Amino acid sequence: MPTIRYVTVDVFTDTRFTGNPLAVIFDAEKLSDTEMQNIAKEFNYSEVTFVLPPQDQANSARVRIFTPTMEVPFAGHPNVGTAYVLGQQTELFGKPVGETLRFEEKAGVVEVKLTHQNGKVITASIRAPRALEVGSIVDAETVADCASINVGSIVTKNHTPIYASVGLPFVFTELDSLDTLAKARPNLTAFHEAVQKYPCGGLDFPLFLYVRDTARPWHMRARMFCPFDNVPEDPATGSASAALAAYLVETGTDAGVDGKIAITIEQGVEMGRRSIIQLEATKHEGKVTELLIGGSCTMVMRGELDC
């Protein structure tokens, strides 16, 4: 029986069995869309990537990203993890692997920079494929019900709960304390109602909760719930972290007008899979003109799939 190779990698961490796991499937041109979706469902990770030859030879590869329930146009940890895996190779589709990879995705071309140490890739960072897009406001009561928290714990000084995206939309909500964040639990009945009330054309009401460090406001702790896409909780959500960073840098009064801002988001702590997402936003005349998302990775498993 024919087989195709896969590897798994933990992303946004340098310690195995923490961070956000990712499966990377090679030779995916042999698979149908249905087979890709079934494989993603079988792994049951928040995302699985499938690597195919590029359609434009100026690019490194075509990468498709699947959650257990659907294909998504862009996501952070799949790009970082896939680049880390492919960066271990000397060659990719007949071309040498250099310092930069370019992935063709539904959201556009994603550029990834690799960092090497002693001849090995240790980190990868990607550029967000799109500028910040701000969507609809979400009522605080809906968010509170979904997260099983008191509505008074939602901080609205900087922004109300709101959809924002740099390729994939999320609902962003600031909370008042780490204690509130730790107590949050997804309420499936409330999420079902929220999905109907606030359709976004992407994931089903992906809720990103965060708390800012009062001493270091560009350091944050976060959690992400998306139970109706079979992700009860995500250990690290790079695309959401990027959208939040872009939103706060563009709209926050403490971000200044021009320059680079380094942002650190810690996620997955409450579920025992601590992740560290590093971001750098470049702001010019009030707008984010470049946004980098990066972190460490570590290999976990490798094997073959029957096909």
Side-chain angles (χ1 to χ4, degrees):
M1 178 179 290
T3 61
I4 55 175
R5 294 183 300 126
Y6 75 88
V7 300
T8 73
V9 59
D10 286 336
V11 183
F12 295 126
T13 181
D14 57 8
T15 304
R16 285 205 310 166
F17 312 122
T18 64
N20 200 352
L22 173 76
V24 180
I25 313 298
F26 297 89
D27 305 317
E29 65 272 19
K30 300 175 183 178
L31 300 171
S32 68
D33 291 4
T34 299
E35 288 171 324
M36 291 184 194
Q37 186 64 75
N38 286 337
I39 290 169
K41 185 177 180 181
E42 182 75 12
F43 273 101
N44 204 35
Y45 292 167
S46 55
E47 285 104 359
V48 172
T49 60
F50 296 85
V51 181
L52 302 94
Q55 295 175 327
D56 182 342
Q57 291 305 306
N59 300 322
S60 306
R62 183 180 173 213
V63 176
R64 298 181 67 180
I65 305 169
F66 284 78
T67 75
T69 61
M70 65 185 294
E71 184 174 10
V72 294
F74 168 76
H77 108 275
N79 275 292
V80 171
T82 302
Y84 175 82
V85 169
L86 297 181
Q88 311 298 326
Q89 303 180 173
T90 58
E91 188 177 276
L92 181 61
F93 298 117
K95 295 187 295 185
V97 175
E99 298 294 320
T100 302
L101 297 173
R102 289 170 56 87
F103 294 155
E104 298 170 355
E105 299 180 11
K106 287 199 168 186
V109 175
V110 177
E111 189 173 293
V112 193
K113 182 180 179 182
L114 303 175
T115 302
H116 293 79
Q117 187 177 80
N118 299 324
K120 294 185 177 181
V121 177
I122 56 170
T123 65
S125 59
I126 65 174
R127 283 183 172 84
R130 296 180 185 174
L132 174 68
E133 299 173 1
V134 178
S136 59
I137 291 173
V138 175
D139 69 273
E141 290 77 10
T142 292
V143 170
D145 289 344
C146 286
S148 307
I149 59 175
N150 190 301
V151 70
S153 300
I154 294 175
V155 177
T156 58
K157 177 183 176 182
N158 298 312
H159 66 88
T160 58
I162 194 167
Y163 268 107
S165 170
V166 291
L168 189 65
F170 292 84
V171 178
F172 295 101
T173 303
E174 184 176 359
L175 301 183
D176 61 354
S177 69
L178 292 177
D179 184 59
T180 299
L181 186 68
K183 290 178 179 177
R185 297 289 184 274
N187 178 323
L188 294 185
T189 300
F191 263 98
H192 182 268
E193 294 173 358
V195 168
Q196 307 304 314
K197 189 174 182 180
Y198 294 103
C200 71
L203 299 173
D204 291 319
F205 203 76
L207 179 57
F208 196 84
L209 308 173
Y210 72 97
V211 175
R212 299 184 79 167
D213 187 323
T214 54
R216 301 174 300 167
W218 294 110
H219 286 67
M220 307 169 208
R221 174 88 68 84
R223 299 178 72 183
M224 200 285 282
F225 302 127
C226 192
F228 279 88
D229 285 288
N230 209 29
V231 183
E233 182 168 359
D234 196 19
T237 318
S239 50
S241 297
L244 176 63
Y247 182 77
L248 294 178
V249 168
E250 283 199 7
T251 63
T253 58
D254 54 352
V257 176
D258 291 318
K260 295 181 183 292
I261 298 175
I263 300 135
T264 300
I265 296 181
E266 186 180 15
Q267 191 178 337
V269 174
E270 292 77 9
M271 57 188 301
R273 296 197 66 99
R274 181 173 181 262
S275 307
I276 300 294
I277 304 167
Q278 303 287 355
L279 305 110
E280 183 182 84
T282 300
K283 188 176 184 181
H284 180 67
E285 295 182 351
K287 296 292 184 181
V288 172
T289 56
E290 183 179 61
L291 184 61
L292 302 178
I293 313 145
S296 301
C297 301
T298 184
M299 292 287 196
V300 180
M301 295 184 289
R302 63 188 68 238
E304 294 180 335
L305 291 166
D306 291 336
C307 64

